Amino acid sequence: MTRLRRVLIEAWHLLGHLKETWGHPSLAFWAVTRRRCCHCLCFMRKMLAAVSRVLSGASQKPASRVLVASRNFANDATFEIKKCDLHRLEEGPPVTTVLTREDGLKYYRMMQTVRRMELKADQLYKQKIIRGFCHLCDGQEACCVGLEAGIKPTDHLITAYRAHGFTFTRGLSVREILAELTGRKGGCAKGKGGSMHMYAKNFYGGNGIVGAQVPLGAGIALACKYNGKDEVCLTLYGDGAANQGQIFEAYNMAALWKLPCIFICENNRYGMGTSVERAAASTDYYKRGDFIPGLRVDGMDILCVREATRFAAAYCRSGKGPILMELQTYRYHGHSMSDPGVSYRTREEIQEVRSKSDPIMLLKDRMVNSNLASVEELKEIDVEVRKEIEDAAQFATADPEPPLEELGYHIYSSDPPFEVRGANQWIKFKSVS
């Protein structure tokens, strides 16, 4: 607008000059200045052309967006996906699937958002803005996005402490997640939960005790069945928790009562710093349910995860009882921010997975090669995601921390206010739902 204002002012002065010239009484003066006026008129035309360009350019889209809008993309494409290994199942998920352009763009944006959010969390942690425990899931984006794509919003999900991605796919914003990580009032748990304790509708966390969420997931599935709802519960745990006794107890109860529970082992090949081969006598985690059917899935391919989840959810909804899924995936970061992640595996191993099996790269290549999207369009999404993450990080660092008097708030969801004892009997906190 500054440029437009300057052009208009120059045009106004030029019009005034022309008026004075045309109105001058001396014909001799006109003869002398005739050539000069011709130059002025030419300059006037240029000024008006410049004004026109500025006005028309204000409403034009960037060139890349015009190209994307004018290009004819395919509405959908069919892809072959890796066949799942099966246990106690006669048939499994399909080996081909259809991806629509709309879904592909949505999945790409979600996975990029999770990736960038985790990298921003890494940066904030190293700046000592995020403190305490922090477990990142970059590399495992196909798991959280693919699982969500295979269920309904009314279904339920509970997981362990590597929960940021699931918190996002269950419907919370990046702003709420990063603000929770920094312990701010605008966080999804009002700044009191931190990395391992985030919650949303039909999402039960984020649990800090290894394997403890699995019996809770079976209980949520029991509630679904008891209330007669056509809902399932996804109960996730890692390969490091797969040897916990409470998991096998939950298997047994879920099978006895035919609960609509999908037990999901996210096998990222390392339980903290111990490889699965050193920690488990059998690494066929999808067979661990014994009497429970299972399937092993390529957890780096979002389409494999989506189709396997749809299959497992349909199995549970049919009243057949629980099913077990093993997602073979990989984390790029260490176990937590205190783990550099290269003392028990080589940098070359990490780079090989990045170059050959990265879930975002796999989806991007499929979409571009099948004319579902262009490289330019996906780059625009990358730019938009980066801006969203930066805006959320600014909010997460500027938002105030919750005041001390709110320490006892939100213990119960709908109870009248009551007092909570502090560190000693003379300290009291008021609890408000």
Side-chain angles (χ1 to χ4, degrees), residues 204-243:
Y204 306 86
N207 290 265
I209 306 300
V210 176
Q213 73 278 4
V214 178
L216 296 178
I220 296 167
L222 173 61
C224 293
K225 183 173 182 178
Y226 183 84
N227 291 322
K229 295 182 177 180
D230 186 30
E231 298 169 355
V232 300
C233 181
L234 276 60
T235 303
L236 289 105
Y237 56 95
D239 54 275
N243 299 317

Side-chain angles (χ1 to χ4, degrees), residues 159-355:
T159 187
Y161 37 75
R162 204 177 304 280
H164 306 162
F166 292 105
T167 309
F168 174 72
T169 58
R170 285 268 81 185
L172 291 183
S173 67
V174 177
R175 173 182 284 214
E176 291 173 292
I177 295 169
L178 289 183
E180 188 59 39
L181 286 171
T182 57
R184 306 306 171 107
K185 198 172 181 179
C188 58
K190 310 299 181 185
K192 301 175 187 176
S195 174
M196 299 191 292
H197 305 288
M198 299 183 182
Y199 308 94
K201 186 174 178 60
N202 298 326
F203 176 61
Y204 306 86
N207 290 265
I209 306 300
V210 176
Q213 73 278 4
V214 178
L216 296 178
I220 296 167
L222 173 61
C224 293
K225 183 173 182 178
Y226 183 84
N227 291 322
K229 295 182 177 180
D230 186 30
E231 298 169 355
V232 300
C233 181
L234 276 60
T235 303
L236 289 105
Y237 56 95
D239 54 275
N243 299 317
Q244 288 272 321
Q246 58 190 330
I247 292 179
F248 294 91
E249 293 180 56
Y251 287 168
N252 185 59
M253 295 177 73
L256 280 173
W257 297 339
K258 294 191 180 301
L259 302 182
C261 187
I262 306 175
F263 295 103
I264 303 171
C265 176
E266 285 186 287
N267 177 9
N268 59 25
R269 295 164 51 177
Y270 297 94
M272 296 187 70
T274 306
S275 67
V276 293
E277 292 81 10
R278 293 178 58 215
S282 170
T283 56
D284 291 333
Y285 295 105
Y286 71 109
K287 295 181 179 179
R288 288 287 190 93
D290 187 16
F291 37 80
I292 297 177
L295 55 157
R296 182 158 55 193
V297 185
D298 181 359
M300 302 298 277
D301 183 350
I302 186 172
L303 299 184
C304 278
V305 177
R306 183 188 70 177
E307 294 307 311
T309 307
R310 286 175 175 173
F311 174 86
Y315 180 94
C316 288
R317 292 189 213 279
S318 68
K320 296 177 181 178
I323 192 169
L324 202 158
M325 287 171 57
E326 176 190 344
L327 304 181
Q328 292 187 314
T329 185
Y330 198 83
R331 56 171 163 80
Y332 295 153
H333 265 85
H335 170 72
S336 67
M337 288 302 297
S338 61
D339 170 21
V342 291
S343 60
Y344 49 86
R345 58 182 184 177
T346 64
R347 295 183 187 276
E348 290 73 23
E349 176 186 305
I350 302 169
Q351 187 55 42
E352 184 179 12
V353 176
R354 281 184 179 273
S355 61

Side-chain angles (χ1 to χ4, degrees), residues 71-77 99-102 367 370-373:
R71 181 169 169 178
N72 292 323
F73 292 106
N75 291 325
D76 56 58
L99 176 66
T100 65
R101 168 174 156 79
E102 181 183 0
M367 294 184 68
S370 301
N371 195 34
L372 291 175

